[in-house]
Amino acid sequence: MPIENTRNFSIIAHIDHGKTTLSDRLLETTQTITERQKQDQLLDSMDLERERGITIKSHPVTMAYTAKDGKTYKLNLLDTPGHVDFSYEVSRSLAACEGALLLIDAAQGVEAQTVANMHLAMQQNLLIIPVINKIDLPSADLPKALKQLEDIIAIPAEEAIPASAKMGIGIVDILEAVVERVPPPKDCEDDGLLRASVFDSVFDPFRGVVSYVRVFSGTLRRGTGIRMMSTGKTYDVKEVGVFTPRMQKQDELMSGDVGYVIANMKTSGEVKIGDTITESQRPAPAPLPGFKEIQPLVFSGIYPVSSEDFEQLKLAMGKLQINDAAFHYMAESSAALGFGFRCGFLGLLHMEIIQERLRREYEMDVISTYPSVIYEVTKTNREEILVDNPSFLPDASVIEEIREPMVRVFVMTPNEFIGDMMQLMMEKRGTIEDTETLDDSRVMLTALLPLNEILVDFNDRLKSLSRGYASMDYEHAGYKASKLVKMDILINAEPVDAFSTIVHKEKAVSHGRALCKKLRDVIPRQMFTVPIQAAVGGAVIARETISAMRKNVTAKCYGGDISRKRKLLEKQKEGKKKMKMFGKVNIPQEAFIKVLKTGD
């Protein structure tokens, strides 16, 4: 098929605006799938994706469509995740396209991630086709959605296509708009050299790494010797093909095509998302723009509940990393939790997904420690270090400055909740940068907050305060110096590293009190009094006491002199004192699970 008849496009939207349903209808209308293959969320192959109704991995598919002009077109659709944690994956998928369908829910209107994904598409100079979805809903307000499209995103309302992916309304109009409006792909250079961009990869246990690619120039065939430009390693191509939506072998992938490449790669570390593939014999002089290494932003320790499962967990993590290049892990040990791994994630949803996959796909029972971020520390000798674990933070006497990662948060909220939103942001140490009125009922707040503050409960609090109407998106905004301290938890004067955290100086007391109170409830009573203390440096800032279990030693005394009872009580007191000197508090595994699983 000539390159003029090829169209590469993506679907971008806020979560739950109907991306996956629309892709299902497009596949059915173009007869890419048969009646037997029909099912909901066809491109979401993971159980987790189906259950949560979200897309975690992007998935391309090639469709053949005969338009009203009588010509047959090859349409390459790249289904992308909607959540902010996977925004790098979205940006790489968009870089492989020439156009994008911007999906807006007719009932909910333009949301925070609609705007964020729209900006990503505009940075790639994509042609945007707005689609107002879910027009069949009783709560749909089409005039309001069209007005928001003009006011917030600055796209003329007459360009929008009203549709309902669920009912199949407007699907042919969308396909015709893709054919008419989206430009055909062009060679990035006229030299005929091979340049293909990797926008995703998965691991097949029988065939090795399968790379999802978009060819920008040249031709990719079986037997071609290729080179990965970021690592410089060379491989031989074993197979190339397209997705329909299952893998279908082809003789070659030409310029403008989207498909897959299988070479003799054994681990996912050998292929990086955004990397450029070129020929090993005739390499391109420079890689395609936009490649960057994916850096984890959130760190957490993952430990097996039973120490015998360590090797099994190590094997499971290796397999998971093969399918998810953004997931990082390294072995570490803790005095309290034993041997485990320090893991890096793109965000809290990514962390949740990985833990859930460990439990389901590999039947691993795991404990995860409180999530933390990477801090930049300048020591008094001008040495710069990165700290992702509170245990590695140097002594306060040798620290000159600690800088924490910041995020710029965009919150869209109805007018009546603006006060609650501002209060929440100030409570999370945020500063409001901008307030923009979007229409007569909604406002967009822009605020600068520490990443650490939005990790655990920010989104939940945002939804509950706004009764589910507010939406948020964020982008990273560098590092900022802050008054941060390491808070240790001492149990019977012994520090427990699993409970150590890096907190802001002003929040240390309240955080310490909450943690001590929780530990008092979950640690079983001992034969002696156990103090639980939160300490910053050498100073104790909070304390709770677990009272001792006490035998009634005076029960056998009937009458007689009071000195007899006192003698028995004094003897018991001495015994308890001696026991406290030698006694050790064994914290049960359940206590760690209860405290670490709830982000109070």
Side-chain angles (χ1 to χ4, degrees):
M1 194 176 287
I3 194 167
E4 299 79 49
N5 288 14
T6 300
R7 301 287 184 271
N8 295 321
F9 70 102
S10 184
I11 305 176
I12 52 175
H14 188 77
I15 295 170
D16 209 24
H17 277 207
K19 277 200 311 288
T20 307
T21 312
L22 178 61
S23 61
D24 288 350
R25 292 299 87 76
L26 292 173
L27 290 171
E28 286 170 20
T29 308
T30 56
Q31 296 177 345
T32 306
I33 52 170
T34 61
E35 282 294 322
R36 286 181 67 188
Q37 289 175 307
K38 277 186 186 178
Q39 62 179 65
D40 287 341
Q41 292 173 260
L42 191 86
L43 296 182
D44 290 351
S45 51
M46 237 184 270
D47 289 345
L48 266 172
E49 291 182 310
R50 293 176 173 282
E51 272 173 39
R52 290 175 177 237
I54 58 172
T55 303
I56 296 165
K57 293 293 286 178
S58 61
H59 200 293
V61 64
T62 301
M63 303 176 284
Y65 173 64
T66 305
K68 287 177 183 174
D69 61 9
K71 293 180 187 171
T72 301
Y73 291 87
K74 186 197 282 182
L75 307 181
N76 292 316
L77 162 64
L78 283 84
D79 185 31
T80 59
H83 198 276
V84 64
D85 282 10
F86 309 109
S87 60
Y88 179 67
E89 205 167 300
V90 176
S91 74
R92 295 327 314 142
S93 295
L94 292 178
C97 299
E98 279 77 38
L101 296 176
L102 178 69
L103 217 55
I104 296 166
D105 189 323
Q108 293 178 310
V110 174
E111 300 269 13
Q113 274 166 267
T114 317
V115 179
N117 286 337
M118 168 74 189
H119 288 316
L120 277 177
M122 289 175 86
Q123 282 167 17
Q124 308 280 4
N125 296 320
L126 300 192
L127 185 125
I128 311 291
I129 301 172
V131 177
I132 311 294
N133 193 25
K134 304 189 185 181
I135 58 166
D136 59 310
L137 291 180
S139 56
D141 189 343
L142 190 58
K144 188 180 174 185
L146 291 170
K147 190 175 185 302
Q148 286 181 357
L149 183 69
E150 289 194 333
D151 295 348
I152 302 169
I153 301 182
I155 293 178
E158 56 269 17
E159 289 187 18
I161 301 167
S164 167
K166 192 176 182 183
M167 305 304 291
I169 301 166
I171 304 300
V172 173
D173 295 339
I174 292 169
L175 289 166
E176 286 295 326
V178 169
V179 168
E180 287 168 24
R181 299 190 209 173
V182 176
K186 288 193 187 102
D187 277 7
C188 58
E189 299 286 345
D190 295 330
D191 52 17
L193 298 176
L194 173 63
R195 293 176 185 83
S197 173
V198 179
F199 60 87
D200 202 357
S201 68
V202 293
F203 185 78
D204 185 303
F206 302 106
R207 297 194 282 181
V209 178
V210 180
S211 306
Y212 296 5
V213 297
R214 152 76 199 268
V215 182
F216 280 91
S217 68
T219 308
L220 197 51
R221 295 184 186 88
R222 186 187 170 180
T224 307
I226 57 166
R227 176 184 292 169
M228 307 302 292
M229 291 191 88
S230 71
T231 60
K233 290 185 179 176
T234 56
Y235 306 94
D236 290 323
V237 175
K238 302 294 181 196
E239 188 183 313
V240 296
V242 294
F243 296 94
T244 62
R246 288 173 176 77
M247 290 159 78
Q248 188 179 329
K249 205 186 288 187
Q250 301 274 316
D251 295 330
E252 59 184 20
L253 291 178
M254 295 186 295
S255 178
D257 283 348
V258 173
Y260 68 87
V261 176
I262 300 173
N264 50 335
M265 295 181 195
K266 298 289 183 283
T267 66
S268 70
E270 295 176 68
V271 60
K272 300 182 188 302
I273 293 176
D275 199 357
T276 303
I277 294 175
T278 188
E279 272 189 67
S280 52
Q281 298 299 320
R282 294 191 311 142
L288 293 163
F291 169 68
K292 66 175 183 194
E293 291 269 0
I294 306 177
Q295 296 298 333
L297 298 161
V298 175
F299 285 84
S300 172
I302 291 184
Y303 294 84
V305 168
S306 167
S307 54
E308 293 112 55
D309 294 339
F310 174 74
E311 285 302 324
Q312 207 178 329
L313 180 63
K314 188 177 180 180
L315 207 66
M317 287 204 170
K319 287 179 181 174
L320 261 183
Q321 193 186 36
I322 281 167
N323 277 318
D324 189 347
F327 167 57
H328 293 248
Y329 72 95
M330 56 186 274
E332 71 167 6
S333 63
S334 152
L337 297 168
F339 290 102
F341 297 92
R342 189 90 190 144
C343 305
F345 310 93
L346 296 176
L348 213 65
L349 176 76
H350 189 212
M351 173 177 149
E352 219 178 296
I353 296 291
I354 292 286
Q355 286 176 16
E356 195 61 35
R357 287 183 71 183
L358 281 171
R359 289 189 185 99
R360 285 195 192 186
E361 295 171 26
Y362 303 99
E363 294 175 356
M364 294 302 309
D365 233 353
V366 294
I367 309 169
S368 63
T369 62
Y370 201 81
S372 66
V373 296
I374 301 181
Y375 297 94
E376 288 181 350
V377 179
T378 305
K379 294 165 93 172
T380 45
N381 62 0
R382 311 307 298 162
E383 187 191 341
E384 299 270 345
I385 58 167
L386 296 174
V387 174
D388 61 17
N389 187 340
S391 311
F392 301 146
L393 192 72
D395 192 71
S397 58
V398 297
I399 295 174
E400 188 172 295
E401 185 181 70
I402 303 178
R403 292 179 298 282
E404 62 182 340
M406 305 296 287
V407 286
R408 187 163 281 107
V409 177
F410 307 99
V411 174
M412 282 195 179
T413 175
N415 293 342
E416 63 261 35
F417 305 118
I418 189 167
D420 293 336
M421 294 296 122
M422 286 182 161
Q423 197 176 338
L424 173 65
M425 285 172 188
M426 286 167 178
E427 193 186 306
K428 296 288 186 184
R429 299 192 285 122
T431 50
I432 311 282
E433 291 186 328
D434 188 27
T435 308
E436 187 186 342
T437 305
L438 300 175
D439 53 31
D440 52 3
S441 64
R442 296 209 299 172
V443 176
M444 183 158 172
L445 299 173
T446 306
L448 199 65
L449 286 106
L451 176 61
N452 200 25
E453 293 287 343
I454 71 163
L455 276 188
V456 179
D457 64 344
F458 184 78
N459 201 34
D460 296 346
R461 294 269 309 275
L462 182 99
K463 290 290 181 191
S464 61
L465 286 171
S466 66
R467 299 189 211 133
Y469 286 110
S471 64
M472 68 164 272
D473 194 78
Y474 64 85
E475 63 184 31
H476 298 282
Y479 280 76
K480 184 182 173 187
S482 194
K483 292 178 181 174
L484 298 164
V485 289
K486 179 188 173 188
M487 186 178 77
D488 288 310
I489 297 292
L490 311 174
I491 295 175
N492 200 27
E494 290 282 322
V496 181
D497 60 348
F499 297 133
S500 296
T501 51
I502 296 172
V503 291
H504 194 264
K505 207 171 184 179
E506 290 170 11
K507 291 196 167 190
V509 175
S510 60
H511 190 77
R513 276 184 191 150
L515 204 51
C516 289
K517 205 168 276 185
K518 193 161 210 69
L519 284 166
R520 186 194 65 191
D521 296 338
V522 297
I523 293 175
R525 287 171 72 191
Q526 309 290 319
M527 294 302 290
F528 50 92
T529 305
V530 178
I532 301 169
Q533 298 162 307
V536 171
V540 173
I541 55 169
R543 174 182 168 130
E544 292 285 339
T545 306
I546 301 172
S547 55
M549 291 163 77
R550 182 170 162 265
K551 184 183 174 186
N552 189 358
V553 288
T554 60
K556 60 187 177 190
C557 294
Y558 297 101
D561 190 21
I562 185 71
S563 59
R564 190 165 166 228
K565 285 186 179 179
R566 198 171 284 145
K567 190 178 175 185
L568 286 166
L569 289 167
E570 285 294 323
K571 192 177 178 185
Q572 185 186 39
K573 194 176 173 184
E574 282 298 314
K576 296 253 182 228
K577 205 172 176 182
K578 194 174 181 182
M579 200 184 284
K580 191 173 180 181
M581 286 167 65
F582 299 107
K584 276 184 80 69
V585 181
N586 288 320
I587 306 167
Q589 209 81 41
E590 298 80 57
F592 286 107
I593 295 170
K594 280 179 188 169
V595 174
L596 296 172
K597 273 195 179 175
T598 52
D600 283 353

